[in-house]
Structures are given as C-alpha cells and as structure tokens.
C-alpha cells in the first residue's frame, strides 16, 4: 500500500511540473508569435523606447520621426516612455486583452523607466482592436477609466480613416498626435493630494472641526455629579448578588488564506475591439 501511495505522489509531482512547463512555454511562444508575424516579416527591427513600431505601413518615415521626437521629449523630461505597436493581421487574435499585455511585458523593459504608456492598434477590419496600457506611475495617472476614454477617442479616428469618407493618412496622423498629447497631459496632471483645491478643502475641514470643538466647550464645564449631594454617613452597601442565567456559544467560520490573482504586471488598461 505504501509503494502505491509513493507512486501516486511521484506521478502527481511529474504531472504538476509538466503542466507548469507547458504553461510557460505557451506564454513565450504566444509572445514570440508577434515577432514572427510582424517584427521579422517586413525587415523592421523592434524599437522599445520612444518608438512607433508601424508594421502596418500606414506612416511615412518623416511622420514616425516627428512622433518619436515628441515621445523622446516626454521621456527626457519626466522619464515617461511611450511605445506604439501598429499591426495589420487577422491570424493572431489581438482582440483578446492578454495579447497587448503579453507583447508589452515580453518585448519592453518596463523597469527601466518611471512610467510606460503603450498604444496597441490592429487595423485589420476583421480583427480590429485598440488598447491603451499604463505601467508604473502611468497606472495611477492614466487609470482604467481614462485609458478607456482615450482609446474610444482614438478609435473614432481609425473608423473615419477606414470609412473612405476622408483622407485616411490625415486621420491616422491625428490619431497618433492625439495619443501623444493626451498621454502627455494626463501624465503632467499632479496627484489629487498635491493639488491646490485638495489643500484648500483639507484646510476648511480642519478649521471647521476646530471651531465646532471650541463652540461645544464654550458653555462651561459641569462640576457636579451623582456623589455631590450624597451623605456618606447615611449611605452604605447592604448586599450584592450575582445570578447565573445561561451560557451563549458563538461559532465563526474559519476564513481561507488562499486567494486568486491575475498574472502579469500590475497596469491600467482600456479599449477593445471596435
């Protein structure tokens, strides 16, 4: 019986190791799929800092240089790195939220800067998607709500470019300019506890509490109590009695210490298929 038990334990351990290994290899292969499809196929090299990785071929080299100049200014001024991935492919399922997350966390060095803002755009009409992701301090400056709002604004430019009603090149250019300028504005906005209106509100609150305390204590202090008019020579304790009535038991359920968590790095994100 002990031999069978040892065999089952060994089998379970091997199965666990194989499962973890397959999961890690799947994640690496999924991320490398991006490189195989988009980064090596057209001869372009991956740019990781202040970069527009245009694998859909919608921008000219002069436009990309202008975009990246604005991104570098943000990086040099307050250490905010901006990277854009623009692809056109229907094979890799970029509509899933995990796709831009895996690409960002696999290809970018997110620890080398204070914050990183990522634009992910697939212009393929059968698999069209746009996401905004914020890592580091950008997670708290460009929250999920702000990222979703910005992503929906940028989606409007893509829809207009693909509708055929206007100049597609102009719409895509405005989209990238909007992404850079809005991200710059959000990252420059100070945290709420550093703003003047927060300090003013905090000062008013503290002042109001102090005034209320002073008003409450301005009516004088009560100096008498229950013993003030008691004659101790005629007052005494004549008896004491405790009566046991019942015992109450309270049962509480023991909480579990395990909890689920989402893999990957902490970040903000918004957008989706459209």
């Amino acid at each position: 019986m002990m031999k069978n038990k040892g065999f089952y334990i060994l089998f379970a351990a091997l199965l666990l190791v194989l499962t973890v290994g397959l999961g890690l290899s799947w994640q690496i292969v999924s991320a490398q799929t991006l490189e195989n499809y988009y980064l090596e196929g057209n001869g372009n090299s991956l740019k990781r800092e202040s970069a527009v990785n245009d694998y859909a071929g919608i921008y000219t080299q002069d436009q990309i240089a202008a975009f990246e100049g604005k991104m570098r200014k943000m990086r040099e001024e307050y250490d905010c790195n901006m990277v854009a991935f623009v692809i056109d492919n229907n094979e890799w399922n970029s509509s899933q939220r995990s796709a831009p997350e895996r690409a960002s966390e696999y290809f970018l060095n997110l620890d080398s800067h204070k914050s990183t803002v990522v634009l992910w755009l697939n212009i393929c009409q059968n698999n069209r998607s746009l996401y905004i992701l914020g890592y580091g301090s950008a997670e708290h400056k460009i929250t999920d709500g702000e990222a979703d709002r910005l992503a929906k604004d940028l989606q409007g430019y893509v829809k207009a470019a693909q509708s055929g009603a206007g100049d597609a090149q102009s719409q895509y250019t405005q989209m990238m300019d909007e992404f850079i300028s809005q991200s710059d504005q959000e990252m420059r906005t100070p945290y709420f506890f550093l703003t003047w209106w927060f300090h003013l509100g905090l000062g008013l609150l503290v002042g109001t509490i102090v005034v209320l305390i002073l008003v409450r204590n301005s009516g004088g202090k009560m100096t008498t109590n229950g013993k003030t008019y008691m004659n101790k020579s005629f007052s005494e304790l004549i008896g004491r009695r405790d009566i046991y009535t019942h015992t109450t038991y309270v049962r509480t359920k023991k909480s579990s210490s395990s909890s689920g968590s989402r893999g990957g790095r902490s970040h903000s994100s918004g957008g989706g298929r459209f």
Side-chain angles (χ1 to χ4, degrees):
M1 182 67 182
M2 293 297 294
K3 292 183 178 180
N4 291 337
K5 185 176 180 180
F7 172 77
Y8 287 132
I9 293 175
L10 179 60
F11 178 77
L14 290 174
L15 184 62
L16 179 62
V17 171
L18 288 174
T19 302
V20 173
L22 288 174
L24 292 176
S25 63
W26 175 85
Q27 184 175 5
I28 294 174
V29 169
S30 298
Q32 286 179 336
T33 303
L34 176 69
E35 186 173 11
N36 295 334
Y37 276 132
Y38 315 123
L39 308 187
E40 294 181 349
N42 57 8
N44 291 340
S45 59
L46 173 68
K47 294 181 289 185
R48 296 176 172 84
E49 292 191 349
S50 305
V52 177
N53 293 284
D54 178 18
Y55 303 107
I58 61 177
Y59 297 115
T60 65
Q61 291 301 317
D62 290 339
Q63 289 174 326
I64 292 176
F67 297 146
E68 292 178 346
K70 298 176 181 178
M71 293 176 173
R72 281 193 299 271
K73 184 178 179 181
M74 292 175 58
R75 189 188 68 195
E76 294 168 357
E77 186 173 351
Y78 49 91
D79 199 19
C80 177
N81 186 35
M82 297 190 69
V83 181
F85 295 97
V86 183
I87 64 175
D88 182 5
N89 194 279
N90 193 37
E91 297 180 25
W92 200 50
N93 189 9
S94 60
S95 62
Q96 296 179 358
R97 185 174 295 275
S98 59
E101 291 172 353
R102 289 201 309 270
S104 302
E105 295 168 17
Y106 183 82
F107 290 111
L108 304 179
N109 186 0
L110 300 174
D111 295 323
S112 61
H113 298 283
K114 182 179 179 181
S115 57
T116 301
V117 183
V118 180
L119 166 67
W120 171 275
L121 171 61
N122 187 353
I123 65 173
C124 178
Q125 296 194 15
N126 294 328
N127 198 20
R128 192 171 61 183
S129 59
L130 189 152
Y131 292 97
I132 302 293
L133 300 98
Y135 292 89
S137 61
E139 177 185 0
H140 308 289
K141 290 291 187 72
I142 305 177
T143 61
D144 289 344
E146 291 296 328
D148 196 56
R149 177 195 61 78
L150 177 56
K152 290 180 179 178
D153 290 343
L154 301 181
Q155 288 171 3
Y157 291 102
V158 180
K159 291 178 181 178
Q162 296 185 350
S163 66
D167 182 12
Q169 187 76 11
S170 176
Q171 294 294 335
Y172 282 126
T173 302
Q174 292 181 47
M175 181 210 70
M176 189 62 69
D177 281 331
E178 186 74 8
F179 165 64
I180 297 173
S181 63
Q182 286 293 323
S183 299
D184 187 20
Q185 180 178 343
E186 292 293 338
M187 292 302 298
R188 288 179 184 274
T189 302
Y191 292 109
F192 73 95
F193 52 82
L194 298 177
T195 57
W196 66 269
W197 53 264
F198 177 79
H199 292 168
L200 177 61
L202 182 62
L204 290 175
L205 178 62
V206 173
T208 302
I209 294 174
V210 172
V211 170
L212 290 176
I213 293 175
L214 293 176
V215 170
R216 182 179 179 180
N217 295 333
S218 62
K221 184 177 181 181
M222 181 67 69
T223 59
T224 60
N225 53 40
K227 297 181 180 180
T228 302
Y229 304 103
M230 181 179 293
N231 190 341
K232 295 183 178 180
S233 60
F234 294 100
S235 303
E236 61 179 335
L237 180 66
I238 61 175
R240 175 179 295 171
R241 181 173 61 178
D242 295 328
I243 301 175
Y244 174 79
T245 59
H246 63 279
T247 302
T248 302
Y249 294 94
V250 179
R251 294 183 178 182
T252 58
K253 185 178 179 181
K254 186 178 180 180
S255 60
S256 175
S257 59
S258 61
S259 60
S261 61
R262 187 181 68 177
R265 294 178 59 101
S266 174
H267 63 278
S268 60
S269 61
R273 293 194 67 176
F274 63 101

